[in-house]
Amino acid sequence: MEDNNGKGKTRERIGVYVCHCGSNIAGVVDCPAVAEYARSLPDVVLARDYKYMCSDPGQTLIKDDIKEHGLTRVVVASCSPRMHEPTFRRACEQAGLNAYLFEMANIREHCSWVTDDKAKATEKAKALVSAAVRRVVWQQPLQTREVPVTPAAMVIGGGVAGIQAALEIADAGFKVYMVERDPSIGGHMAQLDKTFPTLDCSACILTPKMVSVSQHPNIELLAYSEVVDVQGYVGNFKVKVKKKARYVDEEKCRGCGICEEKCPGRVPSEFEEGLGKRKAIYRPFPQAVPNIPVLDRDNCLYFQRGRCRVCERFCDSNAIDYEQEDRFVDLDVGAIVLATGYDLFDASADMRYGYRRLDNVISALEFERMCNASGPTAGRILMANGKEPKSVAIIHCVGSRDTNYHQYCSRVCCMYSMKFAHLVKDRVGHDTKVFEFYTDLRAFGKGYEEFYNRVQEEGVTFVRGRPAEVTDVPETIDEVGKLIVQAENTLVSRQVRIPVDMVVLSGGLEPRSDTAEVARMFNISRSQDGFFLERHPKLDPVASMTDGVFVAGCCQGPKDIPDTVAQAAAAAVRAVGLMNKGKIQVEAATSMVQAELCSGCRVCNKLCPYSAITFDEEKKVSVINDAVCKGCGVVAAACPSDAIVSRHFTDAQILAEIEGVLV
Amino acid sequence: MSFEPRIIGILCNWCSYTGADLAGTSRMKYAPNVRIVRVMCSGRVDPTFVLKAFQQGADGVLIGGCHPGDCHYSTGNYKTARRIPLLKKMLDQLGIEDGRVRLEWVSASEGDRFQALANEMTEQVRALGPFRPAAPSKPAAMEVAALAAG
Ligand code: FES
């Protein structure tokens, strides 16, 4: 087509379309006036305003005009390009116009939605349209490239979300690498005793799935492993995984457990929330998958004092290997599902409730372990003195819905708190007094309200109010030796002091402590609450901002098990869809060096974060590898000879846009 | 009538532009003076863009990028963070006050932060008054023009 240098003289035929977006734009911006103004701009041959440009008739309007009026450029003034740029690009392409000859002016998110003043909003919309019109003249057709998609996926995190995602992908016929940081998969769900509202035994419904993961021919489980580096892009990720030394040869170990039995080291068990002990060589719990122990070097007598080697002596299969070292494996995958879960809010941060300061104030997960038949108390709810409590207070929203900690609702605490109440009645006896201190009761799921009614009928007392403190300082004789919960019952505006034997703190769910690093590694964003940010809060809650990286479960935000499983299955489908296609279009807006202008200074060589630039020793110029370049444009801004063109974001295009926005 | 400054916001696609989108989606009102130009990364911001903006009559330029460590292209914003202070030194010599150019980090979830910045910047530039290269620095203004053109 035209020569770039001839611009200004060569006439383009631009069509401008101003969208009303119902009243979203037209309620504030005078759309006909903006279209009218557009008609006065150079090279614009037609301008229309229309109710919904993204609708079928709206797109048809563009397509027909391209054909009938021979448009060579199209500008749509509507929402954010992050929303509908692909829609309009496709419409242009269907009418035979290269997608990169289309430009969008964001007059909704950046104009009508942020301005009340109609005159000023209209003026701003005109400026944005003027900018787009001036920019589009300089745009050039580009060809997108197709690259193959590696037919394998990686699932990071082996909780119920990861397990579900991995099984779905594997069942669809694709290879899955599952990476789990802990010695066993299972996640938090494996720690739970019962699940609300059906009171299914958590382990009973989870364990079969864990076993399926270990036996599925398409799943390769990398437990006790961590992702340390991620390179590449959608369809072609290169992931480096560190397999931490277990000091047990996975090939040889038969999982008999003799090493564990004989090991003299005893340390608090993480899985039992410190309530029980484990050995220095251990499986976190009996149903662990893989069923291979891990030697905890920091607590091993041999590693710390140089003597012992008992496990080695007793192991028939010679599986103990003290020389084992961390290993690194490089894996190629086409799609990634992040299912890294959550941390339970550490209740000791909220000093008022005395967690870790007062006996018999316990966390939710400690309570779960206590209730579990294979837990540290063999399923008995016991106080520090080994007796059963006669009264229990359960405090909701610890760390949640609290501007001091997390503003959000953790969505599961109301329900699991009521499950706790039921379990107290069930295990300790129906005459046990149970008090639920709640903020609001949120029983929103299927069967949840019914469960709430059931617990009420079981005689649990509900007190609406967030306790001010839990103390062991008595004021009356009845309070001696008790924990006293001080709260305002906000339904009757009255202060209450309730003496109980045990207090359970229903902590909220918070982002994993290393979420920031993980987000960086996978190049995705986090929302204000710290969880991973989904691509769209309504319409795309399973994709991240980075193509090919999907999110599932509580790493995206607190949710219950059914929602987690649903999201994981959805993420899996997206990953499968991507791999099924086999090919993917990649961004054409990369950078290139104009060899004739390059002085060979090599300034750009080191600036590129992807090492996409090499130096051609023969020609003495720098060369950009198109397949590796991601088009950030950093080097275009740095090149002293202006030899680097950042395609679709060229100097000429951006300068024209700046000029246009300032008219 | 009070002076209405004209401010160009050059924002990176991944964080700050998305943050500005979020301000819109959340219907957070802010001064209509800030007009946004999108680049893929704040590291794409060539000092020429800023000069061009002033040459074309802008009163202020707000450059937005991802928070340090969060750049979609891993390190683009570090380069911006090094370039802009240099640019500011040069602008100073050209008689363009420091307050007219700002580099800020806005994440995709910080709609409120973008709103606050847009308002702040507008007030700050309003206080500085319209950008007019001072008389003695006329050659400087021409230099701006020459640089922008070149
Ligand atoms: S992508 Fe936002 S600063 Fe680089």
Side-chain angles (χ1 to χ4, degrees):
Chain A
M1 253 210 309
E2 322 74 359
D3 177 10
N4 201 6
N5 302 327
K7 277 291 149 39
K9 291 186 205 100
T10 342
R11 295 265 80 122
E12 292 298 344
R13 299 181 60 78
I14 309 175
V16 178
Y17 301 85
V18 183
C19 180
H20 292 202
C21 194
S23 61
N24 280 310
I25 296 172
V28 188
V29 171
D30 183 348
C31 296
V34 175
E36 177 73 54
Y37 166 78
R39 269 176 227 124
S40 72
L41 295 171
D43 294 326
V44 173
V45 293
L46 65 90
R48 303 179 194 278
D49 60 296
Y50 187 71
K51 224 170 175 40
Y52 290 106
M53 280 313 299
C54 62
S55 68
D56 242 6
Q59 295 184 50
T60 312
L61 206 59
I62 301 177
K63 289 190 240 176
D64 290 349
D65 284 348
I66 293 176
K67 291 185 202 138
E68 268 168 47
H69 297 270
L71 300 181
T72 61
R73 299 284 190 277
V74 169
V75 169
V76 175
S78 56
C79 49
S80 170
R82 301 189 57 90
M83 184 90 197
H84 271 311
E85 192 174 55
T87 316
F88 297 122
R89 279 185 168 180
R90 221 177 302 125
C92 289
E93 234 154 30
Q94 283 165 357
L97 189 70
N98 185 281
Y100 291 86
L101 298 178
F102 161 79
E103 180 61 15
M104 223 164 157
N106 185 346
I107 61 166
R108 190 178 74 174
E109 281 84 343
H110 291 182
C111 184
S112 69
W113 277 350
V114 292
T115 323
D116 281 330
D117 186 319
K118 292 189 179 178
K120 284 189 175 154
T122 306
E123 188 197 326
K124 183 173 179 182
K126 285 181 185 171
L128 294 172
V129 167
S130 149
V133 166
R134 283 176 165 84
R135 182 190 207 280
V136 82
V137 172
W138 294 92
Q139 284 172 208
Q140 290 179 311
L142 298 176
Q143 284 334 314
T144 48
R145 288 170 300 134
E146 250 183 12
V147 294
V149 174
T150 309
M154 179 172 284
V155 174
I156 295 137
V160 63
I163 289 173
Q164 186 70 27
L167 288 173
E168 301 274 1
I169 299 171
D171 282 344
F174 290 97
K175 169 97 191 170
V176 181
Y177 299 100
M178 173 180 264
V179 181
E180 164 61 50
R181 171 155 55 188
D182 286 340
S184 168
I185 58 171
H188 278 117
M189 187 173 167
Q191 284 182 289
L192 308 183
D193 180 46
K194 297 271 184 289
T195 55
F196 60 79
T198 48
L199 301 173
D200 281 307
C201 151
S202 189
C204 314
I205 56 178
L206 185 67
T207 322
K209 278 183 176 285
M210 291 166 56
V211 174
S212 305
V213 166
S214 71
Q215 293 179 344
H216 205 297
N218 284 343
I219 301 181
E220 186 172 328
L221 177 58
L222 297 105
Y224 207 47
S225 299
E226 275 173 43
V227 173
V228 289
D229 188 42
V230 184
Q231 296 295 332
Y233 53 95
V234 53
N236 297 275
F237 294 106
K238 293 201 180 308
V239 189
K240 191 185 271 303
V241 178
K242 174 163 101 176
K243 293 192 78 180
K244 296 180 275 188
R246 272 181 185 261
Y247 304 104
V248 174
D249 188 328
E250 290 181 37
E251 304 296 316
K252 292 186 188 156
C253 174
R254 286 177 291 112
C256 66
I258 185 90
C259 52
E260 222 172 324
E261 201 184 307
K262 300 293 179 189
C263 173
R266 279 170 71 81
V267 276
S269 155
E270 297 83 0
F271 183 80
E272 300 295 356
E273 293 293 315
L275 295 180
K277 294 264 198 277
R278 63 161 169 84
K279 298 296 183 70
I281 186 165
Y282 70 106
R283 285 163 303 173
F285 52 102
Q287 306 92 326
V289 170
N291 186 23
I292 298 167
V294 161
L295 192 152
D296 162 12
R297 198 186 157 112
D298 296 338
N299 289 297
C300 167
L301 277 177
Y302 171 64
F303 273 109
Q304 297 310 316
R305 305 217 194 113
R307 269 182 298 122
C308 183
R309 298 182 88 122
V310 163
C311 48
E312 184 186 49
R313 213 163 341 118
F314 281 93
C315 179
D316 292 341
S317 20
N318 281 324
I320 307 292
D321 177 5
Y322 298 112
E323 307 301 316
Q324 211 178 62
E325 280 176 6
D326 293 348
R327 281 190 300 127
F328 293 88
V329 283
D330 291 304
L331 300 166
D332 289 325
V333 294
I336 293 172
V337 177
L338 282 173
T340 50
Y342 65 91
D343 283 339
L344 182 71
F345 176 76
D346 177 7
S348 56
D350 193 340
M351 299 283 287
R352 302 170 299 169
Y353 297 149
Y355 181 62
R356 291 201 205 281
R357 186 162 49 84
L358 302 174
D359 273 348
N360 303 320
V361 175
I362 64 171
S363 79
L365 278 176
E366 286 167 1
F367 186 84
E368 293 282 357
R369 291 317 300 154
M370 230 185 229
C371 289
N372 194 275
S374 59
T377 55
R380 296 186 65 204
I381 299 168
L382 298 176
M383 298 191 288
N385 62 9
K387 293 205 184 108
E388 288 183 327
K390 295 218 165 0
S391 51
V392 178
I394 301 167
I395 302 180
H396 294 215
C397 300
V398 177
S400 287
R401 304 187 66 196
D402 182 338
T403 45
N404 296 315
Y405 306 103
H406 301 302
Q407 227 179 317
Y408 55 83
C409 162
S410 291
R411 298 182 92 233
V412 291
C413 329
C414 279
M415 291 308 299
Y416 80 60
S417 298
M418 290 194 280
K419 172 188 77 181
F420 288 173
H422 168 84
L423 288 175
V424 172
K425 292 274 186 188
D426 189 56
R427 302 281 160 87
V428 188
H430 282 276
D431 50 345
T432 322
K433 290 207 181 78
V434 184
F435 301 89
E436 297 263 1
F437 289 88
Y438 68 99
T439 316
D440 295 293
L441 258 168
R442 296 185 167 170
F444 52 85
K446 197 172 185 178
Y448 290 8
E449 185 70 18
E450 293 87 330
F451 187 74
Y452 174 29
N453 292 336
R454 170 177 172 184
V455 174
Q456 278 178 310
E457 275 157 27
E458 285 174 350
V460 173
T461 311
F462 285 82
V463 183
R464 185 175 182 274
R466 188 191 285 270
E469 72 165 340
V470 174
T471 173
D472 59 353
V473 182
E475 281 182 6
T476 64
I477 195 84
D478 302 342
E479 292 178 358
V480 175
K482 300 270 186 184
L483 291 165
I484 305 105
V485 183
Q486 168 84 49
E488 181 191 344
N489 183 338
T490 55
L491 288 182
V492 289
S493 296
R494 190 172 302 146
Q495 288 290 330
V496 290
R497 278 176 70 85
I498 297 178
V500 290
D501 291 331
M502 179 182 268
V503 172
V504 184
L505 301 178
S506 295
L509 276 43
E510 62 183 16
R512 288 272 190 203
S513 54
D514 60 352
T515 311
E517 290 100 272
V518 176
R520 268 172 206 173
M521 192 156 23
F522 290 90
N523 209 351
I524 63 172
S525 305
R526 296 192 300 150
S527 39
Q528 208 130 41
D529 53 20
F531 292 100
F532 295 144
L533 182 67
E534 61 282 354
R535 177 165 288 197
H536 192 281
K538 300 281 176 289
L539 302 178
D540 206 350
V542 296
S544 72
M545 295 284 187
T546 299
D547 288 338
V549 178
F550 304 97
V551 287
C554 289
C555 63
Q556 180 258 335
K559 52 181 70 68
D560 56 19
I561 294 169
D563 284 1
T564 295
V565 170
Q567 193 184 21
V573 169
R574 297 288 289 277
V576 167
L578 177 66
M579 293 186 283
N580 230 346
K581 261 203 302 200
K583 282 188 240 109
I584 181 114
Q585 303 268 338
V586 295
E587 193 45 74
T590 51
S591 296
M592 63 163 243
V593 180
Q594 294 168 289
E596 64 281 11
L597 294 181
C598 176
S599 66
C601 73
R602 302 195 197 192
V603 160
C604 56
N605 293 198
K606 280 201 218 73
L607 280 179
C608 174
Y610 305 102
S611 315
I613 312 183
T614 47
F615 191 69
D616 183 334
E617 287 291 353
E618 216 167 281
K619 296 195 186 122
K620 299 284 179 222
V621 291
S622 294
V623 186
I624 298 180
N625 178 351
D626 235 12
V628 186
C629 174
K630 294 197 186 174
C632 65
V634 165
V635 290
C639 177
S641 320
D642 272 341
I644 301 182
V645 177
S646 173
R647 291 193 187 96
H648 207 55
F649 287 88
T650 64
D651 284 1
Q653 289 161 3
I654 296 171
L655 292 176
E657 189 174 350
I658 291 175
E659 199 179 310
V661 86
L662 284 166
V663 291
Chain B
M1 218 181 81
S2 80
F3 157 61
E4 286 301 339
R6 299 206 287 173
I7 296 161
I8 304 270
I10 309 180
L11 308 183
C12 83
N13 180 58
W14 302 98
C15 290
S16 42
Y17 190 91
T18 315
D21 271 3
L22 181 65
T25 318
S26 324
R27 313 295 200 277
M28 294 167 172
K29 309 293 175 207
Y30 58 83
N33 307 54
V34 179
R35 274 128 210 220
I36 295 164
V37 169
R38 179 169 69 133
V39 287
M40 290 316 270
C41 175
S42 68
R44 175 68 186 95
V45 179
D46 193 315
T48 324
F49 300 169
V50 179
L51 295 173
K52 173 81 171 181
F54 284 113
Q55 186 216 18
Q56 291 291 322
D59 302 300
V61 177
L62 171 66
I63 300 157
C66 311
H67 284 276
D70 289 351
C71 171
H72 191 74
Y73 308 99
S74 80
T75 54
N77 51 0
Y78 292 143
K79 281 142 205 167
T80 323
R82 288 202 290 266
R83 273 177 205 156
I84 301 305
L86 273 177
L87 170 69
K88 283 191 167 190
K89 265 201 182 139
M90 188 169 100
L91 292 177
D92 189 43
Q93 288 162 9
L94 294 175
I96 302 176
E97 299 95 321
D98 186 51
R100 294 194 186 273
V101 177
R102 256 174 99 164
L103 169 63
E104 294 288 350
W105 314 127
V106 179
S107 82
S109 60
E110 293 176 327
D112 47 352
R113 182 171 153 76
F114 182 77
Q115 175 195 34
L117 277 171
N119 285 333
E120 245 177 73
M121 182 82 185
T122 305
E123 286 325 307
Q124 179 178 328
V125 176
R126 201 194 299 279
L128 285 171
F131 168 61
R132 267 188 229 106
S137 63
K138 208 163 188 193
M142 281 164 63
E143 217 172 299
V144 173
L147 278 165

PDB file of all heavy atoms in Angstrom, chain A residues 186-198:
ATOM      1  N   GLY A 186      -3.469 -32.942  48.448  1.00  0.00           N
ATOM      2  CA  GLY A 186      -4.631 -32.990  49.350  1.00  0.00           C
ATOM      3  C   GLY A 186      -5.013 -31.608  49.857  1.00  0.00           C
ATOM      4  O   GLY A 186      -6.189 -31.316  50.044  1.00  0.00           O
ATOM      5  N   GLY A 187      -3.987 -30.784  50.073  1.00  0.00           N
ATOM      6  CA  GLY A 187      -4.270 -29.400  50.467  1.00  0.00           C
ATOM      7  C   GLY A 187      -5.024 -29.289  51.773  1.00  0.00           C
ATOM      8  O   GLY A 187      -5.005 -30.200  52.612  1.00  0.00           O
ATOM      9  N   HIS A 188      -5.702 -28.160  51.944  1.00  0.00           N
ATOM     10  CA  HIS A 188      -6.447 -27.933  53.179  1.00  0.00           C
ATOM     11  C   HIS A 188      -7.607 -28.914  53.321  1.00  0.00           C
ATOM     12  O   HIS A 188      -7.981 -29.289  54.422  1.00  0.00           O
ATOM     13  CB  HIS A 188      -7.009 -26.506  53.212  1.00  0.00           C
ATOM     14  CG  HIS A 188      -5.992 -25.506  53.657  1.00  0.00           C
ATOM     15  ND1 HIS A 188      -5.549 -24.486  52.848  1.00  0.00           N
ATOM     16  CD2 HIS A 188      -5.332 -25.369  54.832  1.00  0.00           C
ATOM     17  CE1 HIS A 188      -4.662 -23.766  53.519  1.00  0.00           C
ATOM     18  NE2 HIS A 188      -4.511 -24.279  54.713  1.00  0.00           N
ATOM     19  N   MET A 189      -8.174 -29.312  52.186  1.00  0.00           N
ATOM     20  CA  MET A 189      -9.351 -30.164  52.291  1.00  0.00           C
ATOM     21  C   MET A 189      -9.022 -31.474  53.001  1.00  0.00           C
ATOM     22  O   MET A 189      -9.859 -32.040  53.700  1.00  0.00           O
ATOM     23  CB  MET A 189      -9.949 -30.427  50.908  1.00  0.00           C
ATOM     24  CG  MET A 189     -11.271 -31.174  50.993  1.00  0.00           C
ATOM     25  SD  MET A 189     -12.092 -31.322  49.408  1.00  0.00           S
ATOM     26  CE  MET A 189     -13.341 -32.545  49.830  1.00  0.00           C
ATOM     27  N   ALA A 190      -7.776 -31.933  52.824  1.00  0.00           N
ATOM     28  CA  ALA A 190      -7.390 -33.187  53.480  1.00  0.00           C
ATOM     29  C   ALA A 190      -7.363 -33.025  55.002  1.00  0.00           C
ATOM     30  O   ALA A 190      -7.461 -33.999  55.734  1.00  0.00           O
ATOM     31  CB  ALA A 190      -6.025 -33.633  52.967  1.00  0.00           C
ATOM     32  N   GLN A 191      -7.222 -31.792  55.461  1.00  0.00           N
ATOM     33  CA  GLN A 191      -7.175 -31.550  56.912  1.00  0.00           C
ATOM     34  C   GLN A 191      -8.562 -31.487  57.538  1.00  0.00           C
ATOM     35  O   GLN A 191      -8.704 -31.621  58.742  1.00  0.00           O
ATOM     36  CB  GLN A 191      -6.482 -30.209  57.185  1.00  0.00           C
ATOM     37  CG  GLN A 191      -4.977 -30.218  57.029  1.00  0.00           C
ATOM     38  CD  GLN A 191      -4.404 -28.854  57.371  1.00  0.00           C
ATOM     39  OE1 GLN A 191      -4.587 -27.906  56.614  1.00  0.00           O
ATOM     40  NE2 GLN A 191      -3.741 -28.747  58.510  1.00  0.00           N
ATOM     41  N   LEU A 192      -9.557 -31.218  56.708  1.00  0.00           N
ATOM     42  CA  LEU A 192     -10.898 -31.017  57.249  1.00  0.00           C
ATOM     43  C   LEU A 192     -11.496 -32.346  57.697  1.00  0.00           C
ATOM     44  O   LEU A 192     -11.207 -33.392  57.136  1.00  0.00           O
ATOM     45  CB  LEU A 192     -11.816 -30.366  56.205  1.00  0.00           C
ATOM     46  CG  LEU A 192     -11.300 -29.091  55.543  1.00  0.00           C
ATOM     47  CD1 LEU A 192     -12.359 -28.532  54.604  1.00  0.00           C
ATOM     48  CD2 LEU A 192     -10.906 -28.056  56.583  1.00  0.00           C
ATOM     49  N   ASP A 193     -12.381 -32.255  58.679  1.00  0.00           N
ATOM     50  CA  ASP A 193     -13.031 -33.471  59.148  1.00  0.00           C
ATOM     51  C   ASP A 193     -14.299 -33.742  58.340  1.00  0.00           C
ATOM     52  O   ASP A 193     -14.389 -34.698  57.596  1.00  0.00           O
ATOM     53  CB  ASP A 193     -13.356 -33.342  60.640  1.00  0.00           C
ATOM     54  CG  ASP A 193     -14.032 -34.602  61.143  1.00  0.00           C
ATOM     55  OD1 ASP A 193     -13.539 -35.692  60.816  1.00  0.00           O
ATOM     56  OD2 ASP A 193     -15.066 -34.493  61.834  1.00  0.00           O
ATOM     57  N   LYS A 194     -15.278 -32.839  58.480  1.00  0.00           N
ATOM     58  CA  LYS A 194     -16.522 -32.987  57.727  1.00  0.00           C
ATOM     59  C   LYS A 194     -16.664 -31.774  56.803  1.00  0.00           C
ATOM     60  O   LYS A 194     -16.076 -30.736  57.035  1.00  0.00           O
ATOM     61  CB  LYS A 194     -17.708 -32.997  58.677  1.00  0.00           C
ATOM     62  CG  LYS A 194     -17.705 -34.168  59.656  1.00  0.00           C
ATOM     63  CD  LYS A 194     -18.419 -35.359  59.073  1.00  0.00           C
ATOM     64  CE  LYS A 194     -18.516 -36.493  60.072  1.00  0.00           C
ATOM     65  NZ  LYS A 194     -17.198 -37.132  60.329  1.00  0.00           N
ATOM     66  N   THR A 195     -17.503 -31.942  55.781  1.00  0.00           N
ATOM     67  CA  THR A 195     -17.766 -30.796  54.916  1.00  0.00           C
ATOM     68  C   THR A 195     -19.226 -30.383  55.081  1.00  0.00           C
ATOM     69  O   THR A 195     -20.106 -31.250  55.199  1.00  0.00           O
ATOM     70  CB  THR A 195     -17.518 -31.151  53.435  1.00  0.00           C
ATOM     71  OG1 THR A 195     -18.313 -32.290  53.112  1.00  0.00           O
ATOM     72  CG2 THR A 195     -16.067 -31.474  53.172  1.00  0.00           C
ATOM     73  N   PHE A 196     -19.435 -29.055  55.124  1.00  0.00           N
ATOM     74  CA  PHE A 196     -20.811 -28.586  55.243  1.00  0.00           C
ATOM     75  C   PHE A 196     -21.475 -28.597  53.883  1.00  0.00           C
ATOM     76  O   PHE A 196     -20.755 -28.513  52.887  1.00  0.00           O
ATOM     77  CB  PHE A 196     -20.844 -27.180  55.866  1.00  0.00           C
ATOM     78  CG  PHE A 196     -20.092 -26.138  55.073  1.00  0.00           C
ATOM     79  CD1 PHE A 196     -20.644 -25.536  53.924  1.00  0.00           C
ATOM     80  CD2 PHE A 196     -18.813 -25.722  55.464  1.00  0.00           C
ATOM     81  CE1 PHE A 196     -19.953 -24.581  53.198  1.00  0.00           C
ATOM     82  CE2 PHE A 196     -18.128 -24.757  54.723  1.00  0.00           C
ATOM     83  CZ  PHE A 196     -18.694 -24.188  53.608  1.00  0.00           C
ATOM     84  N   PRO A 197     -22.780 -28.607  53.750  1.00  0.00           N
ATOM     85  CA  PRO A 197     -23.778 -28.820  54.796  1.00  0.00           C
ATOM     86  C   PRO A 197     -24.164 -30.304  54.906  1.00  0.00           C
ATOM     87  O   PRO A 197     -24.971 -30.671  55.741  1.00  0.00           O
ATOM     88  CB  PRO A 197     -24.971 -28.024  54.245  1.00  0.00           C
ATOM     89  CG  PRO A 197     -24.877 -28.207  52.755  1.00  0.00           C
ATOM     90  CD  PRO A 197     -23.423 -28.337  52.437  1.00  0.00           C
ATOM     91  N   THR A 198     -23.553 -31.137  54.042  1.00  0.00           N
ATOM     92  CA  THR A 198     -23.995 -32.535  53.983  1.00  0.00           C
ATOM     93  C   THR A 198     -23.320 -33.395  55.037  1.00  0.00           C
ATOM     94  O   THR A 198     -23.726 -34.526  55.266  1.00  0.00           O
ATOM     95  CB  THR A 198     -23.657 -33.105  52.598  1.00  0.00           C
ATOM     96  OG1 THR A 198     -22.296 -32.747  52.318  1.00  0.00           O
ATOM     97  CG2 THR A 198     -24.542 -32.523  51.523  1.00  0.00           C
TER      98      THR A 198
END
